[in-house]
Amino acid sequence: MNTSLFFVVVSAFFMTPVLLVAQKIAAGGRHSLAICADSTVQSWGYNGFGQLGNGNILEQHTATQVPGLTKIIQVAGGLFHSLFVKSDSTVWACGRNSLGSLGDGSNTNKQSPVQVRGLSGIVRAAGGGEHSLFLNSDGTVWACGANSAGQLGDGTTAHKNIPVKVKGITGVIQVAAGAEFSLFLKNDGTVWACGHNGFGQFGNGSTTSSNVPIQVGVLSGIIHISAGEWHSLFVKNDGTVYSSGRNQYGQLGDGSITNKNTASQVTALSGVTMAEAGGIHSVFVKNDGTVWSCGLNSGGNNDGQLGDGTATDRHTPVQVVSTWASARIIHAEATREHSLFLTEDGILWASGRNNYGQLGNGTFSSVNSTRPVVSNSVCSLLSTSVHIHDESENEVVIYPNPFSVQTKIHINVRMQNITVHIYNVNGQLFRQITPLSGETIILHRGNLPSGLYHVHVSSNNRFITYNKLIITD
């Protein structure tokens, strides 16, 4: 058997419900975001700068729809701002904007989403402390906001309130934004970085900052990156994970509280599919559906985000308490004071601080949750299933994802002259297919190695959407 992907088209039109799972969630500094089944967005938590996008600065302890936003394909949370990527490849933003992180040409906070200026073809966004990154479908990156450490990568240290192109880097497939630094994952599995590097968060063996992207030469075969406040996490295609940067609470997971300027393996973990760096803690999702965490977990208002049932800092990863019973975790998000955990059946759980309602469980509480609790009322995306009808909008749904044997790719009926490309992390094309509108493709793994793959979908030679595809053992 060879290592190609096998496809079977099973229907021209959906006659039964399609399971849509909430794989698109995000956590900001003290707020949370989720995309609903109808491609609208819900938000909850801290709202002091308007980052919930609901037209005011009132906190929400239960998920509430962001008015006026539709056709959203990705959300990202910065420290005090939010970013929303639409299916037409435009980006919208709200929240704190004193240094231009919303990219609308002003420095005024926005309580409702406004369009980021000068961008097209955007497929992903990432929010940092006071800056934003935007990934174009052509592999280039644009950035705006704070730039005192060179985190925008444009060769200067001047703040920008309109996006500028990141210099000297192409072929990018993922971006991540930290407090004052940025990470870029290229399609050849290499990692590049710019901005502040005073704690060694680049992982390149130095603490020298840079205002243009430089390669982290010690890393290769990387499939996922994440930037915390001052630390970084890197997942390799063999399921191992590496970390670098600040480590005062053990967030690097290496058993110490010593900063590391060279990316080193978190030896206690294997089979990792994704890792998320919070402010001062880290969470890791494994291919067996368990989730692990390390770093800050104590300190009164800053406890419980590890979700292990204690308020004890951890220098090596510990398993998050499975309050979701036998369900598998497929995605996790980490921020400074709370964590989000998404199960394969679409239920969202959260642990940590809840004084602003950021856990979404219907309360404002000064008592932190050290064990994950259910986030309430997070729209139909997080419940069961919905019907896709002829009148629905452009959409590609992959479920289950991750998968080990087979998965399904549903192509919405409104798309015409479709082409699907599937690449590995090195940019090698494994398969190109041209399904009919409304078809569902069964994708069989065959003998394909586990790891991250990229599904690019175009219609009439115009880029439509990009999805990650994860194969596990």
Side-chain angles (χ1 to χ4, degrees):
M1 182 179 294
N2 62 33
T3 58
S4 61
L5 295 170
F6 297 95
F7 298 85
V8 177
V9 176
V10 296
S11 65
F13 296 96
F14 258 97
M15 300 303 293
T16 56
V18 183
L19 187 63
L20 297 181
V21 177
Q23 298 182 52
K24 297 172 182 177
I25 59 174
R30 293 169 179 168
H31 68 289
S32 305
L33 304 163
I35 302 178
C36 299
D38 59 1
S39 296
T40 60
V41 176
Q42 294 202 359
S43 60
W44 61 100
Y46 181 59
N47 195 31
F49 299 94
Q51 57 266 48
L52 298 189
N54 57 10
N56 58 57
I57 54 172
L58 301 177
E59 279 72 43
Q60 299 287 335
H61 56 49
T62 299
T64 304
Q65 185 172 334
V66 180
L69 281 184
T70 60
K71 305 179 184 178
I72 302 301
I73 62 172
Q74 192 243 339
V75 290
L79 180 60
F80 296 124
H81 69 288
S82 302
L83 303 170
F84 313 93
V85 181
K86 296 189 69 170
S87 60
D88 63 2
S89 299
T90 62
V91 185
W92 298 70
C94 60
R96 189 171 181 176
N97 196 32
S98 57
L99 298 178
S101 56
L102 303 190
D104 68 337
S106 80
N107 295 87
T108 305
N109 299 342
K110 300 295 190 303
Q111 298 171 11
S112 297
V114 294
Q115 186 171 352
V116 180
R117 288 177 55 181
L119 293 179
S120 61
I122 302 302
V123 294
R124 286 293 183 272
E130 295 273 359
H131 73 292
S132 303
L133 303 175
F134 310 99
L135 174 61
N136 195 287
S137 60
D138 63 5
T140 60
V141 182
W142 299 72
C144 64
N147 196 30
S148 57
Q151 58 263 50
L152 301 189
D154 68 338
T156 78
T157 54
H159 307 321
K160 303 292 193 308
N161 60 17
I162 296 175
V164 293
K165 190 175 183 179
V166 177
K167 284 192 171 181
I169 189 166
T170 58
V172 177
I173 60 174
Q174 188 192 351
V175 293
E180 295 182 353
F181 71 104
S182 303
L183 299 175
F184 312 93
L185 174 62
K186 293 186 63 171
N187 55 17
D188 60 2
T190 62
V191 178
W192 298 64
C194 64
H196 185 277
N197 190 34
F199 297 102
Q201 55 265 46
F202 289 7
N204 64 349
S206 80
T207 54
T208 302
S209 300
S210 175
N211 61 15
V212 293
I214 57 175
Q215 185 176 351
V216 183
V218 298
L219 294 173
S220 62
I222 302 300
I223 63 171
H224 180 85
I225 56 175
S226 183
E229 187 171 286
W230 303 111
H231 73 291
S232 304
L233 300 175
F234 314 94
V235 180
K236 292 194 67 170
N237 52 14
D238 61 1
T240 59
V241 61
Y242 289 71
S243 61
S244 62
R246 196 173 188 183
N247 194 33
Q248 79 274 37
Y249 292 99
Q251 56 264 48
L252 300 190
D254 65 353
S256 78
I257 53 172
T258 304
N259 298 344
K260 299 291 192 307
N261 62 23
T262 299
S264 57
Q265 185 176 348
V266 182
T267 56
L269 291 174
S270 61
V272 175
T273 60
M274 71 172 296
E276 289 297 313
I280 317 177
H281 76 290
S282 304
V283 296
F284 311 89
V285 179
K286 295 184 62 173
N287 56 16
D288 62 1
T290 61
V291 60
W292 300 67
S293 59
C294 61
L296 179 66
N297 197 35
S298 65
N301 287 335
N302 289 319
D303 62 24
Q305 57 264 56
L306 300 190
D308 69 336
T310 77
T312 303
D313 300 339
R314 304 291 187 177
H315 303 159
T316 56
V318 294
Q319 188 170 349
V320 176
V321 177
S322 299
T323 49
W324 41 81
S326 60
R328 291 166 51 95
I329 296 298
I330 61 172
H331 187 96
E333 289 284 330
T335 184
R336 186 175 180 87
E337 298 166 343
H338 73 287
S339 302
L340 301 176
F341 312 102
L342 180 68
T343 66
E344 62 186 347
D345 56 0
I347 306 300
L348 189 62
W349 299 73
S351 67
R353 194 177 186 185
N354 195 39
N355 58 326
Y356 295 107
Q358 54 264 56
L359 301 190
N361 66 345
T363 66
F364 298 114
S365 174
S366 59
V367 178
N368 295 1
S369 178
T370 61
R371 296 164 60 95
V373 295
V374 173
S375 296
N376 297 332
S377 304
V378 189
C379 63
S380 60
L381 172 60
L382 297 179
S383 56
T384 55
S385 61
V386 297
H387 289 273
I388 294 180
H389 302 291
D390 291 357
E391 66 271 21
S392 56
E393 300 295 336
N394 290 341
E395 190 168 7
V396 175
V397 179
I398 303 175
Y399 183 81
N401 188 19
F403 75 99
S404 58
V405 178
Q406 70 178 41
T407 190
K408 294 180 181 179
I409 302 176
H410 171 67
I411 309 296
N412 191 285
V413 295
R414 280 207 173 181
M415 297 171 61
Q416 303 295 327
N417 299 322
I418 304 161
T419 303
V420 178
H421 295 88
I422 298 184
Y423 301 89
N424 67 7
V425 293
N426 295 318
Q428 297 172 316
L429 178 65
F430 272 95
R431 188 68 183 267
Q432 175 180 325
I433 57 172
T434 54
L436 298 174
S437 297
E439 286 183 331
T440 299
I441 304 161
I442 294 181
L443 187 156
H444 294 276
R445 173 182 180 173
N447 197 33
L448 203 67
S450 61
L452 177 69
Y453 297 84
H454 304 281
V455 180
H456 292 248
V457 180
S458 59
S459 174
N460 292 319
N461 296 317
R462 182 175 69 88
F463 178 84
I464 295 297
T465 189
Y466 154 86
N467 291 272
K468 287 183 180 180
L469 185 67
I470 298 175
I471 298 178
T472 63
D473 290 324

